[in-house]
Amino acid sequence: GVTNENSHPHCDPTCKISIVHNGIIENYFEIKQRLMDAGNKFTSETDSEVIAHLISENFDGDLLATVRRVLPMLRGTYGLIVMHSDFPDLIIGARNGSPLVLGIGNEEMFLASDVIAFGPYVQKIVYLNDGEIIKIDQNDFSVTNVQRATIKKETQDLESDVADISKNGFEHFMLKEIYEQPESIKRGLAGRINFAEYTGKLGGLNMRDAELDAIKSVVIVASGTSYYAGSVGARMISDMARIPTSTEMASELIAKNIIVSPDTLYFVVSQSGETADTLFAMRELKRKGARVLGICNAVGSTIARESDGGVYIHSGPEIAVASTKAFTSQITAFAILALIMGRGRGMSIADGDRLIKYLAAIPNAVEHILTLDKLICNIAKKYSSCKNFLFMGRGICHPVAMEGALKLKEISYIHAEAVAAGELKHGVIALVNPDTPSLFLVPDDELRGKNISSMKEVHARGGKIIVVTDIDDPEINAIADDVIIVPKTDRELTPFTFVVPMQLFAYHMANILGREIDQPRNLAKSVTVE
Ligand code: AGP
């Protein structure tokens, strides 16, 4: 439960030892049972509290040595900080599976799970790796491991944009981040187009052209919004480079015995670079011999460091729990990848040229969509009493519909279900009624006719229809209750222009309903537990 008793720090029975723990202790129950049998009293329902009790039970006057002895008794994951009130100038930290980073400021040091927490107080950082223990005293810090070996750590500069975190006049970080997209997409494209050869360039892949050309299939692994961005990326790579590409949810990949093939290139996608499911899936793939590249936003994050190379999406710090600009930056990276892989195979100069021109025009297209904000807000007002929504898209717009539904769910708490529009008639149509609006994504492509047929099925059953489209089409206008027209782009790039109206729709819906937009209930920005 979300209670004061369950909040950190947790203490030992003497209240001298305090701990803060991020992660899950899998064997807490047996430890707690034994300690309770020995007379210990617990004040919280957490697994974390057993750590303080265990340290207390084993304490011999040397906090570092005690923590080092206790860690092997814990099964699970931790980013852990320990203090003892008899040693006020000493902090011990330890990491296993959950992030921990040291921030060094002006005569002060901090430990956190994410550099974003440091704000303007820190200039240098040191990332800890799994199995490492840090001791901080008044003057310095030192890092060792459980076997007592000293580990020399590199100090890095903290990126300046991490220190500069403000809402910049916007009511919420989410809205600010939606509005940052023209710039963040531009940053993701900067220096990554090779105009002379009608292709892209991504320095961090650590792969020679010949190695890229030898790839026979691609698998993209991620969670949540990053998974939907990966699903868009999979379509881009399959369509443009003609390489069979599939996606795996990270949590599902860990749940099965995945077959790794040497000709397959694996990508893990993560805004934070710390999502436990994605990180563990990456480690499992690497253990099986796969080459795994990362597509990350957070520079220096665990996934970025442990992957075999990859791409930084440069969208800047994303603070709102609901991911927006990271999604468009992730698909920017995938568009460039698909261009590189496509040009290495059968993609013509003309197709490469067309794609580059449309890609370069995306920031302006998004800028235009932001001018539709008022219209989208009014549409949200009209539907704000609805309790259920259907989101429908086909082809590359199907994962975009899923992302739109996720946005609405996580910040407005309205139930939304995304459906591949062609699947509607196979069951979901039973849900259509006048109180359940359907939001259709209808680009002007070869699937338009089929999408209009699905709209007609909903219309005939009294369902209200909101359409995002890139064409002023009398047939669409006749059936739809509300239409949002976005600028036209290349068929493969429609996810950029179709996702932004849905981000704004979810934002306004949540705002109208008075929700905690930047920190929705039950959610965390980085999900560092499995
Ligand atoms: C996005 O709006 C969500 N908060 C969530 O689905 C998120 O995308 C997911 O947890 C993955 O995070 P990551 O990109 O940092 O790995």
Side-chain angles (χ1 to χ4, degrees):
V2 183
T3 63
N4 283 339
E5 290 72 28
N6 288 341
S7 334
H8 296 234
H10 290 290
C11 295
D12 74 319
T14 66
C15 273
K16 288 197 156 194
I17 294 168
S18 317
I19 64 110
V20 173
H21 167 231
N22 184 20
I24 290 181
I25 302 304
E26 290 166 5
N27 58 339
Y28 88 95
F29 189 75
E30 54 209 69
I31 298 172
K32 189 167 176 175
Q33 209 59 49
R34 180 181 66 72
L35 289 167
M36 283 190 347
D37 290 348
N40 284 33
K41 297 231 173 330
F42 285 79
T43 56
S44 78
E45 303 162 313
T46 67
D47 52 341
S48 307
E49 196 180 351
V50 300
I51 306 174
H53 284 242
L54 267 185
I55 294 173
S56 175
E57 187 188 43
N58 288 276
F59 187 60
D60 62 1
D62 180 340
L63 191 59
L64 174 63
T66 308
V67 171
R68 192 181 277 123
R69 267 202 320 281
V70 164
L71 292 180
M73 302 175 194
L74 305 173
R75 200 174 64 234
T77 56
Y78 47 80
L80 175 67
I81 301 177
V82 185
M83 291 185 76
H84 193 300
S85 58
D86 289 348
F87 307 92
D89 298 330
L90 180 66
I91 302 179
I92 307 295
R95 171 187 167 144
N96 181 45
S98 292
L100 197 60
V101 54
L102 170 73
I104 305 169
N106 188 13
E107 294 190 2
E108 51 188 353
M109 287 185 272
F110 304 84
L111 281 169
S113 57
D114 192 321
V115 290
I116 283 178
F118 295 140
Y121 305 105
V122 157
Q123 292 81 44
K124 302 264 180 206
I125 49 171
V126 176
Y127 287 104
L128 292 194
N129 292 321
D130 281 353
E132 293 179 349
I133 304 170
I134 187 166
K135 175 186 170 195
I136 302 174
D137 59 28
Q138 234 183 8
N139 309 310
D140 209 351
F141 74 91
S142 58
V143 178
T144 51
N145 60 18
V146 177
Q147 292 77 34
R148 295 165 167 259
T150 302
I151 294 159
K152 201 169 157 11
K153 300 298 289 183
E154 294 286 323
T155 304
Q156 302 172 25
D157 291 333
L158 182 64
E159 301 255 311
S160 57
D161 58 357
V162 174
D164 173 29
I165 289 166
S166 71
K167 289 190 197 147
N168 223 354
F170 284 91
E171 202 181 338
H172 297 99
F173 279 110
M174 182 182 176
L175 191 61
K176 173 185 171 233
E177 287 157 9
I178 292 173
Y179 270 77
E180 277 173 354
Q181 290 177 109
E183 280 310 311
S184 52
I185 296 169
K186 252 186 231 164
R187 273 201 304 278
L189 288 171
R192 289 176 166 175
I193 304 289
N194 174 347
F195 292 96
E197 294 176 26
Y198 305 95
T199 183
K201 47 181 174 186
L202 289 169
L205 293 185
N206 296 340
M207 286 180 79
R208 294 190 308 275
D209 288 354
E211 284 177 304
L212 263 183
D213 294 346
I215 292 302
K216 293 213 166 60
S217 62
V218 174
V219 175
I220 300 168
V221 183
S223 312
T225 288
S226 296
Y227 173 77
Y228 298 136
S231 306
V232 168
R235 304 262 180 170
M236 288 174 168
I237 296 172
S238 314
D239 287 359
M240 298 190 219
R242 309 302 298 154
I243 303 173
T245 305
S246 58
T247 43
E248 289 274 353
M249 278 177 201
S251 54
E252 283 298 304
L253 185 143
I254 310 166
K256 63 185 173 194
N257 190 4
I258 189 159
I259 300 166
V260 164
S261 133
D263 301 328
T264 302
L265 181 59
Y266 295 83
F267 284 99
V268 287
V269 191
S270 175
Q271 185 286 127
S272 61
E274 301 293 352
T275 301
D277 287 333
T278 312
L279 174 63
F280 296 161
M282 179 183 82
R283 287 180 180 163
E284 177 63 9
L285 288 168
K286 282 176 66 94
R287 197 172 296 123
K288 288 187 163 158
R291 185 198 282 255
V292 189
L293 303 180
I295 297 189
C296 292
N297 189 30
V299 174
S301 55
T302 310
I303 291 177
R305 284 181 288 131
E306 291 189 18
S307 54
D308 298 312
V311 185
Y312 279 123
I313 59 171
H314 298 308
S315 62
E318 193 180 62
I319 308 298
V321 164
S323 186
T324 53
K325 63 176 180 172
F327 177 88
T328 45
S329 296
Q330 286 163 342
I331 62 175
T332 304
F334 276 117
I336 297 168
L337 258 172
L339 177 64
I340 295 173
M341 292 175 136
R343 287 288 291 139
R345 293 162 194 246
M347 188 191 279
S348 67
I349 287 181
D351 282 344
D353 187 35
R354 197 193 66 246
L355 198 75
I356 288 170
K357 289 202 171 107
Y358 273 117
L359 255 181
I362 290 290
N364 279 345
V366 173
E367 197 85 65
H368 172 83
I369 297 164
L370 296 175
T371 67
L372 307 177
D373 196 1
K374 188 99 193 95
L375 164 81
I376 296 168
C377 180
N378 286 336
I379 297 175
K381 271 186 200 141
K382 190 168 154 188
Y383 295 96
S384 60
S385 62
C386 296
K387 302 277 178 281
N388 297 289
F389 276 81
L390 294 173
F391 281 65
M392 277 176 262
R394 266 187 166 79
I396 203 163
C397 277
H398 178 223
V400 184
M402 295 206 272
E403 169 59 7
L406 179 66
K407 284 292 88 86
L408 189 65
K409 279 184 275 207
E410 54 179 348
I411 58 164
S412 75
Y413 317 148
I414 294 172
H415 173 249
E417 184 169 338
V419 189
E423 278 289 296
L424 178 66
K425 56 189 176 293
H426 295 296
V428 179
I429 197 160
L431 298 177
V432 172
N433 68 49
D435 300 323
T436 302
S438 295
L439 196 150
F440 275 90
L441 305 181
V442 188
D444 179 23
D445 60 15
E446 73 284 356
L447 299 172
R448 175 160 61 118
K450 288 191 194 304
N451 279 322
I452 293 176
S453 299
S454 304
M455 284 169 56
K456 284 181 179 161
E457 287 166 12
V458 170
H459 183 65
R461 286 157 184 86
K464 297 270 182 290
I465 296 176
I466 308 164
V467 178
V468 180
T469 182
D470 52 6
I471 180 170
D472 190 1
D473 177 351
E475 201 178 358
I476 292 177
N477 298 343
I479 319 169
D481 295 277
D482 293 280
V483 182
I484 302 165
I485 302 185
V486 298
K488 221 172 175 43
T489 180
D490 190 63
R491 180 178 169 277
E492 315 293 348
L493 304 183
T494 48
F496 284 99
T497 48
F498 279 65
V499 78
V500 180
M502 289 190 297
Q503 296 170 343
L504 287 168
F505 182 73
Y507 172 81
H508 288 300
M509 199 65 120
N511 207 16
I512 292 160
L513 296 173
R515 308 297 194 217
E516 282 280 334
I517 293 185
D518 286 333
Q519 282 149 320
R521 72 180 179 205
N522 307 341
L523 295 176
K525 182 63 182 160
S526 342
V527 186
T528 52
V529 290
E530 262 187 288

